[in-house]
Amino acid sequence: DAAGSHNAPTTHRRRINPHVDMCNHLKNIVEKMKLLPDSYLFHVAVPAKQAPDYNTIVKEPMHLQLLKDNIRECMYRSREEFMKHVDLMVQNSVLYNGAASPLTQIAEGMRQTANAEIAKVEKQLANLESKINPLLSDDPMVTFCCHLESVTQKMKTVPDSWPFYLPVSIKEAPDYKTIVKNPMDVQTLQKNCQEHYYRSREDFLRDVQLLHSNSLLYNGSESPYTATAERMVKVAAETLEAMGEQLDACEADIAQTPLSSIGNSPAPSAMNLEDPLGLVDAEMLSKHDHFKRPVNLADYHGTDDGGGDVLGLSTGGSYGRQLLDDLEASSGDDDDDDLDMDDD
């Protein structure tokens, strides 16, 4: 390449799923619990042959194998959820054997071990919990952008919205970026949310409106997919309005946080103050008479039209097929890392 680095080795690093990382920590804790003397009595379910009345007395059995099964299925999203089941083993033993029973003492020892092991990695687990459920984060930007990302998921529920999920393929529409100077799609919106670009609803909505204004510019006002984009903007605006109280609190906190402390600048598209809707120059606009007025969110009323071609290509054209192929390929790339949770 131009930098002369074509012979440099390439390292492919897999993304770390925080839920997988959490589960691996919890699995290690269970292994520590298994090492305690006489803990084998809690390794598997109580045999009905040895204690026929057990399941009559204990309504929610719990044992170490079941803990491991739950971890394998990524059931636990926090330390609290995991420890509830560890506590349950102690409570069940107290219920069936009594508080003074040696078996209850063994269960209590396992609980103390679990608490001690969690304390060793408490910071790591707290960080993972905030990534698994960003709404638990103390950072207002994390919480705010988590809310915005949920709005993009709502937008994807609009019928026939799939052509807006990914960037337009230049291979299939070579003139697209000549006409549309500020492309936007749902994937890019989600990426901007994840990178904490947006500091206000206005910044976010400005980019959302690009879905409609770009389709209006490229396809025209009569395109069914321009109507679909309009409905997507309407859904976004309505969802943001419904979340107003939470977002007000987040924005108030963000406003008190210096931009430099967040480590990200607003998205380039959101900072295009001269052309916030991604309009092109006057000469280009003069060729598209249908696009001479700015997009006004108050005008979004939604329609029932569906179908069509977002790029103005023929029905059943190759762009639609290419988008479907891209969606399938991208879904394959996002598979979570597998857990090595084989039992001993």
Side-chain angles (χ1 to χ4, degrees), residues 144-154 190 193-194 204:
F144 180 65
C145 288
C146 178
H147 283 306
L148 296 185
E149 192 168 3
S150 73
V151 175
T152 66
Q153 294 298 331
K154 278 285 231 180
Q190 292 175 330
C193 291
Q194 292 161 5
F204 176 70

Side-chain angles (χ1 to χ4, degrees), residues 46-259:
V46 174
K49 185 176 180 180
Q50 295 180 14
D53 62 343
Y54 186 82
N55 288 329
T56 302
I57 298 173
V58 176
K59 302 301 183 182
E60 191 177 356
M62 183 56 57
H63 49 84
L64 294 181
Q65 184 57 51
L66 186 52
L67 278 176
K68 291 184 68 175
D69 291 343
N70 291 344
I71 292 170
R72 182 185 292 111
E73 295 174 7
C74 291
M75 178 181 292
Y76 304 120
R77 298 170 59 86
S78 68
R79 291 159 290 177
E80 181 182 3
E81 292 177 358
F82 173 73
M83 285 306 301
K84 280 183 179 179
H85 279 175
V86 174
D87 291 340
L88 187 58
M89 286 195 297
V90 179
Q91 294 163 10
N92 289 344
S93 184
V94 170
L95 177 62
Y96 191 81
N97 304 303
S101 168
L103 293 175
T104 301
Q105 293 175 16
I106 294 170
E108 180 59 39
M110 289 192 296
R111 176 162 63 182
Q112 292 176 6
T113 296
N115 280 320
E117 293 300 318
I118 284 176
K120 292 178 181 178
V121 290
E122 187 143 16
K123 288 184 178 180
Q124 296 96 309
L125 294 178
N127 182 51
L128 291 171
E129 287 174 6
S130 67
K131 291 179 180 179
I132 294 169
N133 184 1
L135 296 180
L136 297 175
S137 175
D138 293 331
D139 186 339
M141 278 295 294
V142 173
T143 303
F144 180 65
C145 288
C146 178
H147 283 306
L148 296 185
E149 192 168 3
S150 73
V151 175
T152 66
Q153 294 298 331
K154 278 285 231 180
M155 293 165 61
K156 292 172 71 174
T157 65
V158 173
D160 301 316
S161 60
W162 62 267
F164 296 93
Y165 291 175
L166 299 173
V168 172
S169 170
I170 301 305
K171 181 178 180 181
E172 299 298 334
D175 64 338
Y176 187 79
K177 288 190 176 178
T178 303
I179 298 172
V180 175
K181 298 301 184 181
N182 208 349
M184 185 53 59
D185 56 89
V186 175
Q187 183 184 72
T188 300
L189 285 169
Q190 292 175 330
K191 181 181 178 183
N192 288 347
C193 291
Q194 292 161 5
E195 295 180 355
H196 306 165
Y197 280 136
Y198 303 120
R199 291 173 61 88
S200 70
R201 280 163 284 190
E202 287 72 20
D203 287 344
F204 176 70
L205 268 176
R206 188 178 293 118
D207 275 1
V208 171
Q209 288 173 322
L210 288 174
L211 297 175
H212 177 259
S213 60
N214 289 343
S215 182
L216 191 61
L217 176 63
Y218 194 83
N219 304 302
S221 60
E222 301 302 317
S223 168
Y225 270 72
T226 297
T228 297
E230 186 176 33
R231 290 197 296 273
M232 294 174 73
V233 175
K234 183 174 183 289
V235 166
E238 291 174 347
T239 305
L240 288 173
E241 184 177 359
M243 301 165 65
E245 188 173 337
Q246 302 109 296
L247 297 178
D248 285 343
C250 289
E251 287 183 347
D253 290 338
I254 291 170
Q256 299 176 12
T257 305
L259 184 61

